[in-house]
Amino acid sequence: MTIQSFNPPRRILMGPGPSDIAPQVLQALSRPTVGHLDPLFIQMMDEVKQLLQYAFQTDNDFTIAVSAPGSAGMEACFVNLIEPGDKVIVCRNGVFGERMRENVIRAGGIAVVVDDNWGEAVCLDKVESALKAHPDTKILAFVHAETSTGARSDAEALGKLAKQHGALTIVDAVTSLAGIPLKVDEWQLDAVYSGSQKCLSCVPGLSPVTFSPLAIEKILARRSPVQSWFLDQSLVLGYWSGKGKRSYHHTAPVNSLYALHESLIMLNNEGLENAWKRHQEVHNKLKLGLEDLGFEFVVKADVRLPQLNTVFIPQGIDDAKIRGHLLNHYNLEIGAGLGSFAGKAWRIGIMGYGARNENVSLCVKALEEVMAQ
Ligand SMILES: *Cc1c(COP(=O)(O)O)cnc(C)c1O
């Protein structure tokens, strides 16, 4: 066989994730592997928890990284919080809202769907009407930052509505965490999940989650066991909150957690507010550049995500050809449209370490050159 080591080129990742990774995070990944019950590793895991609490702005004791990508964090929230027969209002304004609905059904819940147009925020009035029409609702589920469209929904107001009607919330913060304000405790959100590879700029494969005391209470009061063994958080609890003493549940992805630790230190050193501000400022620069080239944004300015920019593909432009050219000649990846935006829009991500002026300059210049040909 002549198969050789895989040596990928250094791409500039400006799609919907994974995002650019800082050199020091990649270095952390390659440090010597220790056992996942090694006292030194457990100390590091305690720091990961503290750093995640900061990133989520929460004091929730149950704040951990699920050992799998964002979709597993999503599933962990749904399978733990939903018992068969529970009614869940699901807000659907893009791909990830639809995935939430599928999770509800598979967990045996009853899904009440509140639909909004792709590219728009979740409509608060519609959600309030649904909560009134379904007073037995146990959970309100919504996506804070819809990566399929680039729209931001008002997580604070949705959290408040849920509380007014006695419902818990499940919130998809995969793309919002560290990119735009997210305040889990202040906004009284109950089960919130994210991903390592978006605005945290870590390697893919970890999903930070946090559960409020109310969410834990609902989990502990379950009449039926969680049907997934791996994602049953009552079993994982023994590993993460053993107060220095840990028991084996599954082998933690040790080196990936080094990388997460490092990327969270970077966030902590920069400061959350500064990170939010940087995403906004870099977005402003990208917006000017794209509009100069004649691009039109899909999402209205007041609910537009700075970290995920969805623009219509101009008439007569070959979607796949341009993206292929950017990748092969500029080492630059931008995202294709997803779902009903496939072939109609591009998604340009400026997430985490990728939210830098030099990336914006390169992207705008490359698009200009490639489209001129
Ligand atoms: C990326 C993403 C997910 C899924 O995360 P994976 O790590 O790809 O499993 C879920 N929700 C949103 C909003 C996302 O952007």
Side-chain angles (χ1 to χ4, degrees):
M1 278 210 289
T2 56
I3 297 177
Q4 289 171 356
S5 303
F6 179 57
N7 278 304
R10 189 167 289 283
R11 306 277 206 213
I12 293 136
L13 300 177
M14 298 185 71
S19 57
D20 264 1
I21 298 179
Q24 55 265 54
V25 173
L26 286 177
Q27 277 161 18
L29 190 69
S30 66
R31 289 182 191 139
T33 303
V34 298
H36 72 123
L37 296 174
D38 186 311
L40 289 176
F41 183 69
I42 285 168
Q43 234 173 52
M44 190 209 76
M45 290 291 265
D46 284 336
E47 291 177 358
V48 168
K49 181 172 157 178
Q50 274 179 48
L51 290 161
L52 281 177
Q53 285 172 325
Y54 170 66
F56 276 123
Q57 293 286 284
T58 184
D59 292 328
N60 288 343
D61 197 41
F62 191 88
T63 302
I64 67 161
V66 172
S67 304
S71 305
M74 173 187 274
E75 194 144 344
C77 291
F78 283 90
V79 298
N80 282 275
L81 262 77
I82 295 175
E83 278 201 271
D86 280 355
K87 193 175 270 184
V88 182
I89 295 178
V90 178
C91 306
R92 181 170 61 180
N93 59 341
V95 164
F96 294 101
E98 166 56 17
R99 286 195 184 175
M100 284 181 146
R101 188 195 65 81
E102 289 173 29
N103 269 275
V104 172
I105 303 299
R106 287 180 187 231
I110 300 161
V112 175
V113 177
V114 172
D115 270 313
D116 278 294
N117 290 333
W118 280 49
E120 289 175 13
V122 170
C123 171
L124 298 176
D125 289 341
K126 285 191 206 169
V127 171
E128 186 167 23
S129 303
L131 282 162
K132 282 182 180 153
H134 300 275
D136 53 341
T137 296
K138 296 271 171 59
I139 293 165
L140 171 68
F142 62 89
V143 180
H144 187 200
E146 224 337 318
T147 322
S148 61
T149 69
R152 169 178 50 79
S153 289
D154 189 340
E156 181 175 13
L158 287 164
K160 198 179 273 172
L161 270 178
K163 283 285 116 82
Q164 282 165 1
H165 292 83
L168 300 184
T169 43
I170 294 180
V171 184
D172 181 321
V174 175
T175 285
S176 61
L177 184 71
I180 52 171
L182 168 67
K183 301 176 179 179
V184 169
D185 285 2
E186 195 180 315
W187 299 352
Q188 294 184 276
L189 309 175
D190 293 298
V192 186
Y193 59 90
S194 189
S196 49
Q197 80 280 24
K198 311 249 169 150
C199 294
L200 292 179
S201 272
C202 179
V203 290
L206 290 170
S207 179
V209 300
T210 186
F211 288 169
S212 73
L214 279 175
I216 296 288
E217 201 176 289
K218 187 170 192 321
I219 293 170
L220 294 178
R222 288 181 68 97
R223 281 155 291 141
S224 53
V226 173
Q227 162 262 341
S228 160
W229 182 86
F230 183 66
L231 293 174
D232 183 343
Q233 299 302 293
S234 66
L235 302 178
V236 178
L237 222 59
Y239 180 79
W240 279 85
S241 60
K243 299 275 174 268
K245 232 177 132 260
R246 302 296 165 119
S247 55
Y248 169 67
H249 176 262
H250 64 273
T251 308
V254 171
N255 290 59
S256 296
L257 284 158
Y258 298 167
L260 181 63
H261 183 259
E262 194 66 30
S263 65
L264 288 168
I265 285 178
M266 286 181 68
L267 177 64
N268 188 53
N269 288 346
E270 179 179 19
L272 260 182
E273 282 81 6
N274 291 333
W276 298 335
K277 198 163 139 236
R278 174 169 51 84
H279 282 90
Q280 189 60 51
E281 285 169 359
V282 175
H283 160 81
N284 293 344
K285 185 175 160 79
L286 177 68
K287 172 182 170 286
L288 288 180
L290 291 174
E291 286 177 348
D292 263 357
L293 294 179
F295 280 101
E296 225 184 286
F297 275 81
V298 169
V299 177
K300 286 212 201 86
D302 56 338
V303 295
R304 193 180 291 161
L305 290 170
Q307 66 270 49
L308 200 279
N309 297 268
T310 312
V311 290
F312 289 110
I313 301 171
Q315 285 287 316
I317 290 287
D318 186 332
D319 169 24
K321 198 166 156 193
I322 296 276
R323 281 186 296 106
H325 203 82
L326 290 173
L327 193 64
N328 294 324
H329 298 277
Y330 294 82
N331 270 318
L332 172 65
E333 178 180 278
I334 64 167
L338 198 60
S340 58
F341 285 157
K344 296 193 186 120
W346 284 328
R347 293 179 298 152
I348 303 176
I350 39 170
M351 297 182 180
Y353 184 66
R356 283 175 295 144
N357 284 335
E358 64 246 53
N359 277 14
V360 168
S361 303
L362 175 96
C363 178
V364 171
K365 186 148 192 301
L367 275 171
E368 183 179 14
E369 287 175 9
V370 172
M371 290 200 313
Q373 286 171 20

